[in-house]
Amino acid sequence: MTSILSAVVSAPSIASAQPSDVAAKAHHNANGKGFINPWPSYKDWSGPGIFFRMMYLRLSGKWTTPDTTPPTVPVRKPEFLPTRQTDKLRATWLGHACYYVEFPGGFRVLFDPVFTDRCSPFSWLGPKRFTEMPCQVEDIPFIDAVVISHNHYDHLSHPTLEKIAKLHPNAHYLVGLGNKPWFKHMGLDDTNVTELDWWEERTLTLSPAQRGEDPDKQEDISATIGCLPCQHTSARTAWDKAQTLWASWSVTSGGKKLWFGGDTGYRTVPELPDSEFDYDEKYADLPHCPAFKQIGDLRGPFDLGLIPIGAYDPRFIMSPMHASPYDSVNIFADTKCEKALGIHWGTWVLTTEEVLEPPKVLKKALKWKGIAVDGVFETCDIGESREY
């Protein structure tokens, strides 16, 4: 790939606000390599700890397997814009955390693409889709940037990135710290990969030549992409937990601003009886992650948030890493998103809640939060596009 065809990556002409303590890098592991969640809202479960707790729940009959018998989540064929011309922000859900977003002005970004049947290191083992893929990578007309929230298999797919690199060789990849070497290790070109730390941002400028268009008739397209905190972790194997950075992301282009939550928890909930509501007044003192309010105060408001709402049960195991819909509406308020769409559900069975439960609970949570207005924080069919 020649450098003239690569996007120009630069610091924004005007830097966005950052927390006063950003230089302390509290999320960098001071005791060794890797990263941590630096808040009391997070509890770190070891891999063996989760495994043995889940085995106990299975043996005791407390771990239920959701019913995936069709019909479940409706799937429709996406309708992507055939050109770069649009005056609205257009977001298309492609399952789980994958969204394709078309910005006014022409910028096109793909978030956490996984176009495989299983989210696993194996093609024959691991969680298998219970809903069909709505399309293939070949069906997407333009991909200028690919944003990866973290390296778990349901968010970072080697076969998918291989295909994107072949079909869209000029696409630029934005990842958290420590993820760039993976591209080279997996045989992918790492020259178009930018690593960022929390609160860092870069502006991508795409020339007409880089987009394969006539430079005499078209202008540059630019987008500012920011790496922001979230409460999660990372791992590709049993030996590399938290060695690479997880993140949420912001993208600003064409006068529109979007926040992508990726995969995140909000607070750690203790083991409770099934009848207990974990947002009951008696649990009001449980600490929640302060990063989302910082994001809203310093980088918001956002025209649209893509916010995780699924893979949350059992709460005492999943809550540090995965938001429930009640957490999600708090994240929505904290980040100052004007509208939101739910992600991280409807594709693979990763936890015990019923597969159609997240959007139902989301409606209850919105009412509980006093956000009972239709069209504010919604879900949609896989393959469906919404405009803002």
Side-chain angles (χ1 to χ4, degrees), residues 48-88:
I50 291 179
F51 175 78
F52 286 115
R53 196 68 181 126
M54 289 170 62
M55 288 301 298
Y56 167 75
L57 292 173
R58 288 182 183 276
L59 292 172
S60 64
K62 295 182 179 179
W63 183 281
T64 57
T65 301
D67 181 11
T68 59
T69 304
T72 55
V73 184
V75 180
R76 62 175 74 176
K77 184 176 177 59
E79 296 181 3
F80 304 116
L81 297 176
T83 73
R84 292 179 180 269
Q85 304 306 311
T86 178
D87 58 357
K88 294 182 179 180

Side-chain angles (χ1 to χ4, degrees), residues 276-339:
E276 289 278 348
F277 177 44
D278 61 57
Y279 271 99
D280 189 277
E281 186 62 32
K282 68 177 76 174
Y283 305 114
D285 292 334
L286 291 178
H288 65 270
C289 181
F292 302 107
K293 189 174 188 307
Q294 284 186 317
I295 290 170
D297 290 345
L298 297 173
R299 299 289 173 90
F302 299 94
D303 297 287
L304 179 65
L306 303 176
I307 301 177
I309 64 169
Y312 51 80
D313 269 345
R315 295 299 297 136
F316 75 98
I317 295 177
M318 298 297 170
S319 61
M321 298 176 291
H322 290 168
S324 74
Y326 286 92
D327 296 328
S328 304
V329 297
N330 280 322
I331 292 171
F332 170 74
D334 287 353
T335 52
K336 298 182 180 178
C337 293
E338 295 180 2
K339 300 289 181 65

Side-chain angles (χ1 to χ4, degrees), residues 2 36 123 208 287 313 335:
T2 60
I36 62 170
S123 62
D313 269 345
T335 52

Side-chain angles (χ1 to χ4, degrees), residues 128-148:
K128 183 177 174 60
R129 287 177 182 265
F130 63 86
T131 47
E132 295 295 322
M133 283 185 283
C135 66
Q136 298 294 328
V137 175
E138 292 88 342
D139 299 318
I140 302 175
F142 311 103
I143 301 177
D144 300 319
V146 178
V147 173
I148 305 293

